[in-house]
Coordinates of all heavy atoms in Angstrom, one line a residue:
H1 N 80.3 83.3 49.1 CA 79.9 83.0 47.8 C 80.7 81.7 47.3 O 81.7 81.3 47.9 CB 80.1 84.2 46.9 CG 81.5 84.6 46.6 ND1 82.2 85.4 47.4 CD2 82.4 84.2 45.7 CE1 83.4 85.6 47.0 NE2 83.6 84.8 45.9
H2 N 80.2 81.2 46.2 CA 81.0 80.1 45.5 C 80.7 80.2 44.0 O 79.8 80.9 43.6 CB 80.7 78.7 46.1 CG 79.2 78.3 45.9 ND1 78.8 77.8 44.7 CD2 78.2 78.3 46.7 CE1 77.5 77.5 44.8 NE2 77.1 77.8 46.0
H3 N 81.6 79.6 43.3 CA 81.6 79.6 41.8 C 82.4 78.4 41.3 O 83.2 77.8 42.1 CB 82.1 80.9 41.3 CG 83.2 81.5 42.0 ND1 84.5 80.9 42.0 CD2 83.3 82.5 42.8 CE1 85.3 81.6 42.7 NE2 84.6 82.6 43.2
A4 N 82.3 78.1 40.1 CA 83.0 76.9 39.5 C 84.4 77.2 39.3 O 85.2 76.2 39.3 CB 82.3 76.5 38.2
F5 N 84.9 78.4 39.1 CA 86.3 78.7 38.8 C 87.1 78.7 40.1 O 86.6 78.9 41.2 CB 86.5 79.9 38.0 CG 85.9 81.2 38.6 CD1 86.7 82.0 39.4 CD2 84.6 81.6 38.3 CE1 86.1 83.2 40.0 CE2 84.1 82.7 38.9 CZ 84.8 83.5 39.7
E6 N 88.4 78.5 40.0 CA 89.3 78.5 41.1 C 89.9 80.0 41.3 O 90.0 80.7 40.3 CB 90.5 77.6 40.9 CG 90.0 76.1 40.8 CD 91.2 75.2 40.5 OE1 92.2 75.6 40.0 OE2 91.0 74.0 40.8
E7 N 90.2 80.3 42.5 CA 90.8 81.6 42.8 C 92.1 81.4 43.6 O 92.2 80.6 44.5 CB 89.9 82.5 43.5 CG 88.7 83.1 42.7 CD 87.8 84.0 43.5 OE1 87.4 83.6 44.6 OE2 87.6 85.1 43.0
M8 N 93.0 82.3 43.4 CA 94.2 82.4 44.2 C 94.5 83.9 44.6 O 94.5 84.7 43.7 CB 95.5 81.9 43.4 CG 96.7 81.7 44.2 SD 97.8 83.1 44.4 CE 98.1 83.7 42.8
F9 N 94.6 84.1 45.8 CA 94.8 85.5 46.4 C 96.2 85.6 46.9 O 96.6 84.7 47.7 CB 93.8 85.8 47.5 CG 92.4 85.7 47.2 CD1 91.7 84.5 47.2 CD2 91.7 86.9 46.9 CE1 90.4 84.4 46.9 CE2 90.3 86.8 46.6 CZ 89.7 85.6 46.6
Y10 N 97.0 86.6 46.4 CA 98.3 86.8 46.9 C 98.3 88.2 47.6 O 98.0 89.2 46.9 CB 99.3 86.8 45.8 CG 100.7 87.2 46.2 CD1 101.5 86.2 46.9 CD2 101.3 88.4 45.9 CE1 102.8 86.5 47.3 CE2 102.6 88.7 46.3 CZ 103.3 87.8 47.0 OH 104.6 88.1 47.4
V11 N 98.5 88.2 48.9 CA 98.4 89.5 49.6 C 99.7 90.3 49.4 O 100.7 89.8 49.7 CB 98.1 89.2 51.1 CG1 98.0 90.6 51.9 CG2 96.9 88.4 51.4
L12 N 99.5 91.5 48.8 CA 100.6 92.4 48.5 C 101.0 93.3 49.7 O 102.1 93.6 49.9 CB 100.3 93.2 47.3 CG 100.1 92.5 46.0 CD1 99.5 93.4 45.0 CD2 101.4 91.9 45.5
E13 N 99.9 93.7 50.4 CA 100.1 94.8 51.5 C 98.9 94.7 52.4 O 97.8 94.4 52.0 CB 100.1 96.1 50.8 CG 100.2 97.3 51.6 CD 100.2 98.6 50.7 OE1 100.9 98.7 49.7 OE2 99.4 99.5 51.1
G14 N 99.2 94.9 53.7 CA 98.2 94.9 54.7 C 97.8 93.5 55.1 O 98.6 92.5 54.9
E15 N 96.6 93.3 55.7 CA 96.1 92.0 56.2 C 94.7 91.9 55.7 O 93.9 92.8 55.7 CB 96.1 91.9 57.7 CG 97.5 91.7 58.3 CD 97.4 91.5 59.8 OE1 96.4 91.7 60.4 OE2 98.4 91.0 60.3
L16 N 94.3 90.6 55.3 CA 93.0 90.3 54.9 C 92.6 89.0 55.7 O 93.4 88.1 55.9 CB 92.9 90.0 53.4 CG 93.1 91.2 52.5 CD1 93.2 90.7 51.1 CD2 92.0 92.2 52.6
T17 N 91.3 89.0 56.1 CA 90.8 87.8 56.7 C 90.0 87.0 55.7 O 89.1 87.6 55.0 CB 89.9 88.2 57.9 OG1 90.6 88.9 58.9 CG2 89.3 86.9 58.6
F18 N 90.3 85.7 55.6 CA 89.6 84.9 54.6 C 88.8 83.8 55.3 O 89.2 83.3 56.4 CB 90.7 84.1 53.8 CG 91.4 85.0 52.8 CD1 92.6 85.7 53.3 CD2 91.0 85.2 51.5 CE1 93.3 86.5 52.4 CE2 91.7 86.1 50.7 CZ 92.8 86.7 51.1
Q19 N 87.7 83.5 54.8 CA 86.9 82.3 55.3 C 86.8 81.4 54.1 O 86.3 81.8 53.0 CB 85.5 82.7 55.7 CG 84.7 81.5 56.2 CD 83.4 81.9 56.8 OE1 83.0 83.1 56.9 NE2 82.6 80.9 57.2
V20 N 87.3 80.2 54.2 CA 87.2 79.2 53.2 C 86.5 78.0 53.9 O 87.0 77.4 54.8 CB 88.6 78.8 52.7 CG1 88.5 77.7 51.6 CG2 89.3 80.0 52.1
D21 N 85.3 77.7 53.4 CA 84.4 76.8 54.1 C 84.2 77.3 55.5 O 83.8 78.5 55.6 CB 84.9 75.3 54.1 CG 84.4 74.5 52.9 OD1 83.4 74.9 52.2 OD2 85.1 73.5 52.5
D22 N 84.5 76.6 56.5 CA 84.3 77.1 57.9 C 85.5 77.6 58.6 O 85.5 77.9 59.7 CB 83.6 76.0 58.7 CG 82.2 75.6 58.3 OD1 81.5 76.5 57.8 OD2 81.9 74.4 58.4
E23 N 86.6 77.6 57.8 CA 87.9 78.0 58.4 C 88.2 79.5 58.2 O 88.1 80.0 57.1 CB 89.0 77.2 57.8 CG 90.4 77.4 58.4 CD 91.4 76.5 57.8 OE1 91.1 75.4 57.4 OE2 92.6 76.9 57.7
L24 N 88.6 80.2 59.3 CA 88.9 81.6 59.2 C 90.5 81.7 59.3 O 91.1 81.0 60.2 CB 88.3 82.4 60.3 CG 86.9 82.9 60.1 CD1 86.4 83.6 61.4 CD2 86.7 83.8 59.0
A25 N 91.1 82.6 58.6 CA 92.5 82.8 58.7 C 92.8 84.2 58.2 O 92.3 84.7 57.3 CB 93.3 81.8 57.8
T26 N 93.7 84.9 59.0 CA 94.2 86.2 58.6 C 95.5 86.1 57.9 O 96.4 85.4 58.5 CB 94.3 87.1 59.8 OG1 93.0 87.2 60.4 CG2 94.7 88.5 59.5
K27 N 95.7 86.7 56.8 CA 96.9 86.6 56.0 C 97.5 88.0 55.7 O 96.7 88.9 55.5 CB 96.6 85.9 54.7 CG 96.0 84.5 54.8 CD 97.0 83.5 55.4 CE 96.5 82.1 55.5 NZ 97.4 81.2 56.0
G28 N 98.8 88.0 55.7 CA 99.5 89.3 55.5 C 100.3 89.2 54.2 O 100.3 88.3 53.4
A29 N 101.1 90.3 54.0 CA 101.9 90.5 52.8 C 102.8 89.2 52.5 O 103.4 88.7 53.5 CB 102.8 91.7 52.9
G30 N 102.7 88.7 51.3 CA 103.5 87.5 51.0 C 102.7 86.2 51.1 O 103.2 85.2 50.7
D31 N 101.6 86.3 51.8 CA 100.8 85.0 52.0 C 99.9 84.8 50.8 O 99.5 85.7 50.1 CB 99.9 85.1 53.2 CG 100.7 85.1 54.5 OD1 101.8 84.4 54.5 OD2 100.3 85.6 55.5
V32 N 99.6 83.5 50.6 CA 98.7 83.1 49.5 C 97.6 82.3 50.0 O 97.7 81.5 50.9 CB 99.5 82.2 48.5 CG1 98.7 81.6 47.4 CG2 100.7 83.0 47.8
V33 N 96.4 82.5 49.4 CA 95.2 81.7 49.8 C 94.7 81.1 48.5 O 94.4 81.8 47.5 CB 94.1 82.5 50.5 CG1 92.9 81.7 50.7 CG2 94.7 83.0 51.8
F34 N 94.5 79.8 48.4 CA 93.9 79.1 47.2 C 92.5 78.7 47.6 O 92.3 78.1 48.6 CB 94.7 77.9 46.8 CG 94.1 77.1 45.7 CD1 94.2 77.6 44.4 CD2 93.5 76.0 45.9 CE1 93.7 76.9 43.3 CE2 92.9 75.3 44.9 CZ 93.0 75.7 43.6
V35 N 91.5 78.9 46.7 CA 90.2 78.4 46.8 C 89.8 77.6 45.6 O 89.8 78.1 44.5 CB 89.2 79.6 47.0 CG1 87.8 79.1 47.2 CG2 89.6 80.5 48.1
A36 N 89.5 76.3 45.8 CA 89.1 75.5 44.7 C 87.7 75.8 44.3 O 86.9 76.4 45.0 CB 89.1 74.0 45.2
G37 N 87.4 75.5 43.0 CA 86.1 75.8 42.5 C 85.0 75.1 43.3 O 85.2 73.9 43.7
G38 N 83.9 75.7 43.5 CA 82.8 75.1 44.2 C 82.8 75.3 45.7 O 81.9 75.0 46.4
V39 N 84.0 75.8 46.3 CA 84.1 75.9 47.7 C 83.6 77.3 48.1 O 84.1 78.3 47.6 CB 85.6 75.7 48.1 CG1 85.8 76.0 49.6 CG2 86.0 74.3 47.8
A40 N 82.8 77.4 49.1 CA 82.3 78.6 49.6 C 83.4 79.4 50.3 O 84.2 78.8 51.1 CB 81.1 78.4 50.6
H41 N 83.5 80.7 50.1 CA 84.5 81.5 50.6 C 84.2 83.0 50.7 O 83.2 83.4 50.0 CB 85.8 81.3 49.8 CG 85.7 81.8 48.4 ND1 85.1 81.0 47.5 CD2 86.1 82.8 47.7 CE1 85.1 81.6 46.3 NE2 85.7 82.7 46.4
A42 N 84.9 83.8 51.4 CA 84.7 85.2 51.5 C 86.0 85.8 52.0 O 86.9 85.1 52.6 CB 83.6 85.5 52.5
F43 N 86.2 87.1 51.9 CA 87.4 87.8 52.5 C 87.0 89.2 52.8 O 86.0 89.8 52.2 CB 88.6 87.7 51.5 CG 88.5 88.5 50.3 CD1 89.0 89.8 50.2 CD2 87.8 88.0 49.2 CE1 88.9 90.5 49.1 CE2 87.7 88.7 48.0 CZ 88.3 90.0 47.9
A44 N 87.7 89.8 53.8 CA 87.4 91.1 54.2 C 88.7 91.7 54.8 O 89.5 91.0 55.4 CB 86.3 91.2 55.2
N45 N 88.8 93.0 54.7 CA 89.8 93.8 55.4 C 89.2 94.2 56.7 O 88.4 95.1 56.7 CB 90.3 95.0 54.6 CG 91.4 95.8 55.3 OD1 91.7 95.5 56.5 ND2 92.0 96.7 54.6
R46 N 89.5 93.6 57.8 CA 89.0 93.9 59.1 C 89.8 94.9 59.9 O 89.5 95.2 61.0 CB 88.8 92.6 59.9 CG 87.7 91.7 59.3 CD 87.6 90.5 60.2 NE 86.2 90.0 60.1 CZ 85.8 88.9 60.7 NH1 86.6 88.2 61.5 NH2 84.6 88.5 60.6
G47 N 91.0 95.3 59.3 CA 91.9 96.2 60.0 C 91.6 97.6 59.6 O 90.7 98.0 58.9
D48 N 92.5 98.5 60.2 CA 92.4 99.9 59.9 C 93.2 100.4 58.7 O 93.0 101.4 58.2 CB 92.8 100.7 61.2 CG 91.9 100.5 62.4 OD1 90.7 100.2 62.1 OD2 92.4 100.5 63.5
A49 N 94.2 99.5 58.4 CA 95.1 99.9 57.3 C 94.6 99.3 55.9 O 93.9 98.3 55.9 CB 96.5 99.3 57.5
P50 N 94.9 100.0 54.9 CA 94.5 99.5 53.5 C 95.2 98.2 53.3 O 96.3 97.9 53.8 CB 95.0 100.6 52.6 CG 95.3 101.8 53.4 CD 95.6 101.3 54.8
A51 N 94.6 97.4 52.4 CA 95.2 96.1 52.0 C 95.1 96.1 50.4 O 94.2 96.6 49.8 CB 94.5 94.9 52.6
R52 N 96.1 95.4 49.8 CA 96.1 95.2 48.4 C 96.4 93.7 48.1 O 97.2 93.1 48.9 CB 97.1 96.1 47.7 CG 96.9 97.5 47.7 CD 97.8 98.4 47.0 NE 99.2 97.9 47.0 CZ 100.0 97.6 45.9 NH1 99.5 97.7 44.7 NH2 101.2 97.2 46.1
F53 N 95.8 93.2 47.1 CA 96.1 91.8 46.7 C 96.0 91.6 45.2 O 95.4 92.4 44.5 CB 95.1 90.9 47.4 CG 93.6 91.1 47.1 CD1 93.0 90.3 46.0 CD2 92.9 92.0 47.7 CE1 91.7 90.5 45.7 CE2 91.5 92.2 47.3 CZ 91.0 91.5 46.3
L54 N 96.6 90.5 44.8 CA 96.6 90.1 43.4 C 95.7 88.9 43.4 O 95.8 88.0 44.2 CB 98.0 89.7 43.0 CG 98.1 89.1 41.6 CD1 97.8 90.1 40.5 CD2 99.5 88.5 41.4
L55 N 94.7 88.9 42.5 CA 93.8 87.8 42.3 C 93.9 87.2 41.0 O 94.0 87.9 39.9 CB 92.3 88.4 42.4 CG 91.2 87.5 42.1 CD1 91.1 86.3 43.1 CD2 89.9 88.2 42.1
T56 N 94.0 85.8 41.0 CA 94.0 85.1 39.7 C 92.8 84.2 39.7 O 92.5 83.6 40.8 CB 95.3 84.3 39.4 OG1 95.5 83.4 40.5 CG2 96.5 85.2 39.4
C57 N 92.2 84.0 38.6 CA 91.0 83.2 38.4 C 91.3 82.2 37.3 O 91.8 82.6 36.2 CB 89.7 83.9 38.1 SG 89.3 85.2 39.4
T58 N 91.0 80.9 37.5 CA 91.2 80.0 36.4 C 90.0 79.0 36.4 O 89.6 78.5 37.5 CB 92.6 79.3 36.5 OG1 92.8 78.4 35.4 CG2 92.7 78.4 37.8
P59 N 89.4 78.7 35.3 CA 89.8 79.2 34.0 C 89.4 80.7 33.9 O 88.6 81.2 34.7 CB 89.0 78.3 33.0 CG 87.8 77.8 33.8 CD 88.3 77.7 35.2
A60 N 89.8 81.3 32.8 CA 89.6 82.7 32.6 C 88.1 83.0 32.3 O 87.3 82.0 32.1 CB 90.4 83.2 31.4
G61 N 87.7 84.2 32.5 CA 86.3 84.6 32.2 C 85.8 85.7 33.2 O 85.1 86.6 32.8
F62 N 86.2 85.6 34.4 CA 85.7 86.5 35.4 C 86.3 87.9 35.3 O 85.7 88.8 35.8 CB 85.9 85.9 36.8 CG 85.0 86.6 37.9 CD1 83.6 86.4 37.8 CD2 85.5 87.4 38.9 CE1 82.8 87.0 38.7 CE2 84.7 88.0 39.8 CZ 83.3 87.8 39.7
E63 N 87.4 88.0 34.6 CA 88.0 89.3 34.4 C 87.0 90.2 33.6 O 87.1 91.5 33.8 CB 89.3 89.2 33.6 CG 89.2 88.8 32.2 CD 89.0 87.3 32.0 OE1 89.0 86.5 32.9 OE2 88.9 86.8 30.8
R64 N 86.1 89.7 33.0 CA 85.0 90.5 32.3 C 84.2 91.2 33.3 O 83.8 92.4 33.0 CB 84.1 89.6 31.4 CG 84.9 88.8 30.3 CD 84.1 87.8 29.6 NE 84.9 87.0 28.8 CZ 84.8 85.6 28.8 NH1 83.9 85.0 29.5 NH2 85.7 85.0 28.0
H65 N 83.9 90.7 34.4 CA 83.2 91.3 35.5 C 83.9 92.6 35.9 O 83.3 93.7 36.0 CB 83.0 90.4 36.7 CG 82.6 91.0 37.9 ND1 81.3 91.4 38.1 CD2 83.3 91.4 39.0 CE1 81.2 92.0 39.3 NE2 82.4 92.0 39.9
F66 N 85.2 92.5 36.1 CA 86.0 93.6 36.6 C 86.1 94.7 35.5 O 86.1 95.9 35.8 CB 87.4 93.2 37.1 CG 87.3 92.3 38.3 CD1 87.7 91.0 38.2 CD2 86.9 92.8 39.5 CE1 87.6 90.2 39.3 CE2 86.8 92.0 40.6 CZ 87.2 90.7 40.5
A67 N 86.2 94.3 34.2 CA 86.3 95.2 33.1 C 85.0 96.0 33.0 O 85.0 97.2 32.7 CB 86.6 94.5 31.8
R68 N 83.9 95.3 33.2 CA 82.6 96.0 33.2 C 82.5 97.0 34.3 O 82.0 98.1 34.1 CB 81.4 95.0 33.3 CG 81.3 94.1 32.0 CD 80.2 93.1 32.2 NE 80.2 92.1 31.1 CZ 79.3 91.1 31.0 NH1 78.4 91.0 31.9 NH2 79.4 90.3 30.0
R69 N 82.9 96.6 35.5 CA 82.8 97.5 36.7 C 83.7 98.8 36.4 O 83.4 99.9 36.8 CB 83.3 96.8 37.9 CG 82.2 95.9 38.4 CD 82.6 95.2 39.7 NE 82.7 96.1 40.8 CZ 83.0 95.8 42.0 NH1 83.2 94.5 42.4 NH2 83.2 96.7 42.9
A70 N 84.9 98.5 35.9 CA 85.8 99.7 35.6 C 85.2 100.6 34.6 O 85.3 101.8 34.8 CB 87.2 99.1 35.2
A71 N 84.7 100.1 33.6 CA 84.0 100.9 32.5 C 82.9 101.7 33.1 O 82.7 102.9 32.9 CB 83.6 100.1 31.4
D72 N 82.1 101.1 34.0 CA 81.0 101.8 34.6 C 81.4 102.9 35.5 O 80.9 104.0 35.5 CB 80.1 100.8 35.4 CG 78.9 101.4 36.0 OD1 78.1 102.0 35.2 OD2 78.7 101.3 37.2
A73 N 82.5 102.7 36.2 CA 83.1 103.7 37.1 C 83.6 104.9 36.3 O 83.6 106.0 36.8 CB 84.2 103.1 38.0
E74 N 84.1 104.6 35.1 CA 84.7 105.7 34.3 C 83.6 106.3 33.4 O 83.9 107.3 32.7 CB 85.8 105.1 33.4 CG 87.0 104.7 34.2 CD 88.0 104.0 33.4 OE1 87.9 104.0 32.1 OE2 89.0 103.4 33.9
G75 N 82.4 105.7 33.4 CA 81.3 106.3 32.6 C 81.5 106.0 31.1 O 81.0 106.8 30.3
V76 N 82.1 104.9 30.8 CA 82.3 104.6 29.4 C 81.7 103.2 29.1 O 81.4 102.4 30.0 CB 83.8 104.6 29.0 CG1 84.4 106.0 29.2 CG2 84.6 103.6 29.8
D77 N 81.6 102.8 27.8 CA 81.2 101.5 27.5 C 82.3 100.5 27.7 O 83.5 100.8 27.4 CB 80.8 101.4 26.0 CG 79.5 102.2 25.7 OD1 78.7 102.3 26.7 OD2 79.3 102.6 24.6
P78 N 82.0 99.3 28.2 CA 83.0 98.3 28.3 C 83.6 97.8 27.0 O 82.9 97.9 26.0 CB 82.3 97.1 29.0 CG 80.9 97.5 29.3 CD 80.7 98.8 28.6
P79 N 84.8 97.3 27.0 CA 85.3 96.8 25.7 C 84.5 95.6 25.2 O 83.8 94.9 26.0 CB 86.7 96.4 26.0 CG 86.8 96.3 27.5 CD 85.7 97.2 28.1
A80 N 84.5 95.3 23.9 CA 83.6 94.3 23.4 C 83.9 92.9 24.0 O 83.0 92.1 24.3 CB 83.8 94.2 21.9
W81 N 85.2 92.6 24.3 CA 85.6 91.3 24.9 C 84.9 91.1 26.2 O 84.7 90.0 26.7 CB 87.1 91.1 24.9 CG 87.8 92.1 25.8 CD1 88.4 93.2 25.4 CD2 88.0 92.1 27.2 NE1 89.0 93.9 26.4 CE2 88.7 93.2 27.6 CE3 87.6 91.2 28.2 CZ2 89.1 93.5 28.9 CZ3 87.9 91.5 29.5 CH2 88.7 92.6 29.8
A82 N 84.7 92.2 27.0 CA 84.1 92.1 28.3 C 82.6 91.8 28.3 O 82.0 91.5 29.3 CB 84.3 93.4 29.1
M83 N 82.0 91.9 27.1 CA 80.6 91.6 27.0 C 80.3 90.1 26.8 O 79.1 89.8 26.7 CB 80.0 92.5 25.9 CG 80.1 94.0 26.2 SD 79.7 94.5 27.9 CE 77.9 94.0 27.9
Q84 N 81.3 89.3 26.7 CA 81.1 87.9 26.6 C 80.5 87.4 28.0 O 80.6 88.1 29.0 CB 82.4 87.2 26.3 CG 82.9 87.5 24.9 CD 84.2 86.9 24.6 OE1 84.5 85.7 25.1 NE2 85.1 87.6 23.9
P85 N 80.0 86.2 28.1 CA 79.4 85.7 29.4 C 80.4 85.8 30.5 O 81.6 85.5 30.3 CB 79.0 84.3 29.0 CG 78.8 84.3 27.6 CD 79.8 85.2 27.0
V86 N 79.9 86.1 31.7 CA 80.7 86.1 32.9 C 80.3 84.8 33.7 O 79.1 84.6 33.9 CB 80.5 87.4 33.7 CG1 81.2 87.3 35.1 CG2 80.9 88.6 33.0
P87 N 81.3 84.1 34.3 CA 80.9 82.9 35.1 C 80.0 83.3 36.3 O 80.2 84.4 36.8 CB 82.2 82.4 35.6 CG 83.2 82.9 34.6 CD 82.7 84.2 34.1
S88 N 79.1 82.5 36.6 CA 78.1 82.9 37.6 C 78.7 82.7 39.0 O 79.6 81.9 39.2 CB 76.8 82.0 37.6 OG 77.2 80.6 37.8
V89 N 78.3 83.5 40.0 CA 78.7 83.5 41.4 C 77.4 83.4 42.2 O 76.5 84.1 42.0 CB 79.5 84.8 41.7 CG1 79.8 84.9 43.2 CG2 80.7 84.9 40.9
T90 N 77.4 82.5 43.2 CA 76.3 82.3 44.0 C 76.6 82.8 45.4 O 77.5 82.3 46.1 CB 75.9 80.8 44.1 OG1 75.6 80.3 42.8 CG2 74.7 80.5 44.9
K91 N 75.8 83.7 45.9 CA 76.0 84.2 47.3 C 75.3 83.2 48.3 O 74.2 82.8 48.0 CB 75.3 85.6 47.5 CG 76.0 86.7 46.7 CD 75.4 88.0 46.9 CE 76.2 89.0 46.0 NZ 75.6 90.4 46.2
V92 N 76.0 82.9 49.4 CA 75.5 81.9 50.3 C 75.5 82.4 51.7 O 75.1 81.6 52.6 CB 76.4 80.6 50.2 CG1 76.2 79.9 48.9 CG2 77.8 80.8 50.5
G93 N 75.8 83.6 52.0 CA 75.8 84.1 53.4 C 76.1 85.6 53.4 O 76.3 86.2 52.4
P94 N 76.1 86.1 54.7 CA 76.3 87.6 54.8 C 77.8 87.9 54.5 O 78.6 87.0 54.6 CB 76.0 87.8 56.3 CG 76.2 86.5 56.9 CD 75.8 85.4 55.9
P95 N 78.1 89.1 54.3 CA 79.5 89.5 54.1 C 80.4 89.2 55.3 O 79.9 89.3 56.4 CB 79.5 91.0 53.8 CG 78.1 91.3 53.4 CD 77.2 90.2 54.1
L96 N 81.6 88.8 55.1 CA 82.5 88.5 56.2 C 82.7 89.7 57.1 O 82.9 89.5 58.3 CB 83.8 87.9 55.7 CG 84.9 87.4 56.7 CD1 84.3 86.3 57.5 CD2 86.1 86.9 55.9
G97 N 82.7 90.8 56.6 CA 83.0 92.0 57.4 C 81.8 92.4 58.2 O 81.9 93.3 59.1
A98 N 80.7 91.8 58.1 CA 79.5 92.2 58.8 C 79.5 91.7 60.2 O 80.1 90.7 60.5 CB 78.2 91.7 58.1

């Protein structure tokens, strides 16, 4: 997928495989991956162990997507601030884990 905002992934635990444009790289705890706005990318946990990561998006706005998903999972209405527009994301290929 790609989108106009930038993302930075900081791997906290485990390993994740990232594809940024045509480059594949596996990153572990303490590693950082930066994706500029407009660049196609994907990531997946291809291992057997769980992985955790910290994601930052700039400029802000995509956090509304996660707030809506969390509210849906809890069966509650999202907070009012989460109902503002969410930046668009364009899917461009199959999932990396496939």
Side-chain angles (χ1 to χ4, degrees):
H1 67 272
H2 63 81
H3 38 68
F5 56 91
E6 297 176 342
E7 288 181 308
M8 189 274 308
F9 299 83
Y10 177 75
V11 182
L12 297 167
E13 180 180 310
E15 286 187 344
L16 294 171
T17 299
F18 292 87
Q19 180 175 1
V20 180
D21 272 337
D22 294 328
E23 185 177 328
L24 279 176
T26 299
K27 301 293 184 176
D31 289 333
V32 173
V33 174
F34 175 78
V35 182
V39 175
H41 60 284
F43 69 96
N45 181 350
R46 292 179 152 180
D48 295 330
R52 294 184 322 122
F53 62 94
L54 173 68
L55 171 66
T56 61
C57 301
T58 186
F62 200 65
E63 68 280 1
R64 298 173 192 134
H65 166 77
F66 295 113
R68 291 177 189 183
R69 287 182 62 178
D72 186 54
E74 295 174 11
V76 299
D77 290 333
W81 61 264
M83 299 313 296
Q84 296 176 37
V86 174
S88 64
V89 173
T90 303
K91 293 182 181 181
V92 293
L96 184 57

